[in-house]
């Protein structure tokens, strides 16, 4: 039996070239993104802040912490280190992040505003300690072109199984 190439593998999981881009501070979203990318046959890209977050920055109980200050200011756009060099090659982009204050962290807006997603499908996934997506899709729509399709995906906590993720991808009709 011939060995499958990466391109062949993509064709068996999805008909469209995909990217899984994720932002993770504690590793939770990273673990989910890695499994998802493997199941989908997608490339993987970490959205890294130019200035990494410290534990003190992430203390949501401290109103003066970096994350609290950023999330109180809807215009805050934390800088990202690096770029996806070939974004035009992707048709489907899965964007993952932890839920902060019932929505996506502002660095996700930075990421979405850094590229032209015209004609692309963006599927969100998130990790959360207890809340759902809230108004995340609504709040992110202004960061992409009007003809980009942005879809609420799923909250994927823990370590979702490959079978669960494959079923979700199939249900998406990609």
């Amino acid at each position: 039996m011939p060995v499958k190439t990466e391109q062949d593998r993509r064709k068996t999981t999805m008909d469209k070239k995909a990217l899984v881009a994720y932002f993770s501070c504690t590793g939770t979203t990273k673990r989910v993104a890695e499994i998802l990318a493997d199941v989908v046959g997608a490339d993987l890209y970490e959205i890294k802040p130019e200035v990494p977050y410290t534990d003190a920055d992430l203390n949501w109980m401290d109103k003066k912490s970096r994350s609290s200050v950023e999330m109180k200011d809807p215009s805050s756009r934390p800088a990202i280190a690096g770029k996806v060099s070939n974004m035009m090659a992707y048709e489907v982009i899965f964007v993952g992040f932890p839920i902060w204050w019932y929505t996506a962290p502002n660095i996700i807006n930075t990421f979405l505003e850094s590229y032209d997603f015209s004609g692309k499908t963006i599927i969100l996934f998130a990790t959360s300690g207890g809340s759902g997506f809230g108004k995340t899709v609504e709040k992110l729509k202004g960061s992409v072109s009007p003809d980009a399709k942005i879809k609420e995906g799923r909250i994927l906590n823990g370590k979702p199984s490959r079978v669960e993720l494959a079923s979700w991808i199939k249900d998406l009709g990609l």
Side-chain angles (χ1 to χ4, degrees):
M1 187 156 136
V3 175
K4 288 187 176 186
T5 66
E6 185 65 23
Q7 185 176 10
D8 290 336
R9 197 175 113 208
R10 271 199 190 87
K11 287 181 180 176
T12 61
T13 54
M14 277 185 34
D15 292 334
K16 299 175 180 174
K17 185 162 170 109
L19 174 71
V20 173
Y22 70 93
F23 168 67
S24 184
C25 289
T26 64
T28 303
T29 306
K30 177 182 181 174
R31 284 188 295 279
V32 172
E34 289 172 341
I35 297 166
L36 178 61
D38 187 52
V39 168
V40 173
D43 295 332
L44 189 64
Y45 174 77
E46 182 176 3
I47 302 167
K48 292 182 183 179
E50 202 168 83
V51 177
Y53 289 89
T54 65
D55 288 343
D57 291 336
L58 298 172
N59 183 357
W60 61 273
M61 296 181 75
D62 177 359
K63 294 180 182 190
K64 294 181 181 177
S65 74
R66 177 177 163 198
S67 60
S68 296
V69 170
E70 287 175 359
M71 294 306 290
K72 283 181 192 170
D73 178 4
S75 66
S76 171
R77 296 295 184 266
I80 295 174
K83 288 191 79 90
V84 176
S85 61
N86 59 339
M87 186 61 82
M88 295 306 296
Y90 300 103
E91 297 171 80
V92 176
I93 299 91
F94 292 87
V95 179
F97 47 86
I99 295 290
W100 285 6
W101 289 264
Y102 307 101
T103 191
N106 290 343
I107 196 167
I108 299 302
N109 294 87
T110 306
F111 175 76
L112 294 174
E113 292 167 5
S114 298
Y115 304 95
D116 179 5
F117 289 100
S118 299
K120 298 183 184 299
T121 300
I122 300 164
I123 301 165
L124 307 177
F125 69 95
T127 56
S128 174
S131 60
F133 272 98
K135 296 184 177 182
T136 301
V137 174
E138 179 183 314
K139 289 184 177 185
L140 293 177
K141 277 189 177 181
S143 293
V144 296
S145 60
D147 66 337
K149 295 175 196 157
I150 188 165
K151 298 180 177 186
E152 181 177 311
R154 284 197 177 167
I155 300 290
L156 299 169
N157 287 326
K159 188 175 180 183
S161 74
R162 296 176 60 78
V163 170
E164 175 187 354
L165 291 174
S167 175
W168 174 46
I169 300 307
K170 185 178 178 184
D171 291 346
L172 289 170
L174 303 171

